[in-house]
Every structure is written in structure tokens, then in C-alpha cells.
């Protein structure tokens, strides 16, 4: 099937959704919640990365040029595909693109950790008990703490929601691939997620029109 993606992107976003479903169950231990939170956030971001790489592979032939393009950032890869298909660059002022950049900063900080200086404060949490509190620096729009051990279920929901919104924007609004993606499983997964109230408030009008 000649669509914009393949099984890898489907697997990743589906894994993000499944992690969130498990994360939202009431009997999940704290340790497992942390693992599922990380999984949900990272699988969501990796799905965008997979989407960009598949698009690049689909619209550019293998060779020296392709090898050079593979080294570009995710936004640059999508921009190159957009110029080929639509004859124009991505609208970098869009909120979806800004959030996409933010998601990859979070991803890079996790995958390529660096030593970061933080302010630490010792606070009393009970008789004879103390806790170390790190400063609460967070990312911009998503407000995700820069320390992964402080990620929350709300962070997981936001990353999953925004990853689907970003891919939806890229595929339908920017690249105009709605027709080619008509039968793609990603849209079915997105609609299913909405129906299950995993992503409340998502506007899937365009997706529903695509599926008709």
C-alpha cells in the first residue's frame, strides 16, 4: 500500500496509546507508572521521527543526496518533502511545528543525557524525614519537567495528544496527503483513541472526513 507511513510508525503510536491505557488504570504501581509514562512520551515522539524518515524515503531515491538528507533534523526532513510535494516550505510559525521542536528537545535530553546544574533545596516531609527538591525548570508550551523522573500522567497525555495533532497537521494540512492516506491505519488508531476518551477534546473533523 503506497501511503505516507509503514508498520513502524503505526507500531510506535499504537504503543504510545497502549502505554497510556495501562498508565491510566487505578491499580498500577508507582514504579510501573513511571515506566509507562516514559514509554508513552518516548513512543509518541519516536512516531513523529519514524513518520519523517518514511516520508523522506518515499519521496527521495537512495543515493548521495538521500544520505545527506538523512542527517537533517526532523523538521528539516519534513520541510524538504513539503518543498518537493507542494513547492513551498513548511509554515514554521505554526504552533504544531513549535511543539514538535519542543518534543524533540525532550526526546534528545532523555536519549542523550547531559550533566545539568540544578538548584537543590532540602525540605521536611515528616518527622525525621527530608526530601531533596530540584528546581522546577520545565519546557515551554508542554510544561514538562526537564528531569524524566518528574514526568507525570498529564505529561504523557499531552505528548500523545500533540504527537497525533502534529502528524495530522503535517500529513493533511502541509503535505496534502489525505487522499493517499485514506486507508492508513494511523487514522483508525487516532479515531479509536478519541472514541475511548484517551485524548479528550481532540478535533478529528478532518480525520472523519478522510475516513468517509
Amino acid at each position: 500500500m503506497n501511503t505516507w507511513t509503514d508498520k513502524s510508525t503505526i507500531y510506535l503510536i499504537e504503543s504510545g496509546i497502549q502505554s497510556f491505557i495501562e498508565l491510566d488504570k487505578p491499580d498500577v504501581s508507582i514504579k510501573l507508572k513511571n515506566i509507562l509514562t516514559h514509554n508513552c512520551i518516548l513512543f509518541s515522539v519516536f512516531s513523529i521521527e519514524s513518520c519523517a524518515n518514511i516520508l523522506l524515503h518515499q519521496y527521495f531515491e537512495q543515493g548521495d543526496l538521500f544520505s545527506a538528507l538523512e542527517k537533517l533534523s526532523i523538521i528539516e526532513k519534513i520541510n524538504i518533502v513539503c518543498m518537493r510535494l507542494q513547492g513551498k516550505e513548511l509554515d514554521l510559525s505554526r504552533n504544531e511545528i513549535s511543539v514538535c521542536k519542543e518534543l524533540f528537545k525532550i526526546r534528545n535530553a532523555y536519549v542523550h543525557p547531559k550533566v545539568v546544574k540544578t538548584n537543590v533545596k532540602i525540605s521536611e516531609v515528616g518527622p525525621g524525614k527530608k526530601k531533596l527538591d530540584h528546581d522546577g525548570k520545565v519546557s515551554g508550551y508542554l510544561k514538562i519537567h526537564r528531569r524524566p523522573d518528574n514526568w507525570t500522567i498529564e505529561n504523557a497525555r499531552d505528548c500523545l495528544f500533540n504527537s497525533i495533532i502534529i502528524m495530522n497537521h503535517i500529513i493533511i494540512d502541509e503535505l496534502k496527503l489525505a487522499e493517499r492516506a485514506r486507508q492508513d491505519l494511523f487514522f483508525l488508531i487516532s479515531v479509536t483513541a478519541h472514541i475511548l476518551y484517551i485524548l479528550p477534546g481532540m478535533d478529528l473533523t478532518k480525520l472523519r472526513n478522510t475516513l468517509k
Side-chain angles (χ1 to χ4, degrees):
M1 182 165 56
N2 185 25
T3 61
W4 60 273
T5 187
D6 71 356
K7 291 181 180 179
S8 62
T9 304
I10 298 300
Y11 168 77
L12 289 166
I13 196 64
E14 192 174 34
S15 296
I17 291 172
Q18 187 59 44
S19 294
F20 187 83
I21 292 173
E22 296 298 320
L23 175 62
D24 207 26
K25 291 180 178 178
D27 57 344
V28 179
S29 68
I30 294 176
K31 183 176 180 180
L32 183 55
K33 275 193 174 184
N34 288 336
I35 293 172
L36 291 171
T37 298
H38 291 191
N39 286 351
C40 181
I41 291 173
L42 294 174
F43 278 131
S44 298
V45 182
F46 290 156
S47 67
I48 303 174
E49 187 170 9
S50 173
C51 173
N53 289 331
I54 294 301
L55 282 167
L56 191 70
H57 180 78
Q58 183 167 339
Y59 293 104
F60 288 89
E61 296 180 0
Q62 296 284 345
D64 293 339
L65 175 61
F66 184 83
S67 297
L69 294 177
E70 275 194 311
K71 298 175 183 178
L72 297 175
S73 70
I74 298 303
I75 298 297
E76 289 171 333
K77 288 177 181 179
I78 297 170
N79 196 35
I80 289 289
V81 175
C82 190
M83 286 192 288
R84 165 157 285 192
L85 295 184
Q86 299 300 321
K88 64 177 183 178
E89 295 189 2
L90 286 172
D91 182 356
L92 299 179
S93 66
R94 292 278 307 207
N95 187 56
E96 292 90 345
I97 303 302
S98 298
V99 176
C100 184
K101 291 179 180 178
E102 190 176 329
L103 284 171
F104 275 91
K105 285 183 180 179
I106 294 166
R107 174 257 193 215
N108 292 339
Y110 188 94
V111 177
H112 307 291
K114 298 178 181 178
V115 176
V116 178
K117 292 183 179 180
T118 60
N119 297 318
V120 178
K121 180 178 69 173
I122 300 177
S123 58
E124 298 282 345
V125 294
K129 294 182 180 180
K130 296 181 179 181
K131 184 179 72 170
L132 293 179
D133 290 327
H134 297 266
D135 59 8
K137 291 187 178 179
V138 296
S139 65
Y141 176 82
L142 294 174
K143 306 298 182 188
I144 296 179
H145 201 286
R146 67 184 181 185
R147 292 175 56 85
D149 53 347
N150 287 330
W151 289 353
T152 66
I153 186 172
E154 289 76 18
N155 295 151
R157 181 191 298 274
D158 288 345
C159 285
L160 182 57
F161 175 87
N162 280 284
S163 294
I164 292 179
I165 288 293
I166 287 165
M167 285 191 282
N168 193 31
H169 169 69
I170 290 167
I171 299 306
I172 293 181
D173 298 331
E174 295 285 1
L175 303 183
K176 315 296 184 186
L177 293 179
E179 189 64 30
R180 294 178 195 172
R182 183 179 296 276
Q183 302 300 323
D184 200 291
L185 289 177
F186 171 72
F187 293 97
L188 295 176
I189 292 171
S190 301
V191 173
T192 301
H194 179 63
I195 292 171
L196 292 175
Y197 300 100
I198 299 169
L199 306 172
M202 177 185 285
D203 181 5
L204 290 176
T205 303
K206 293 179 181 178
L207 290 177
R208 292 195 188 96
N209 291 338
T210 300
L211 286 168
K212 288 180 180 178

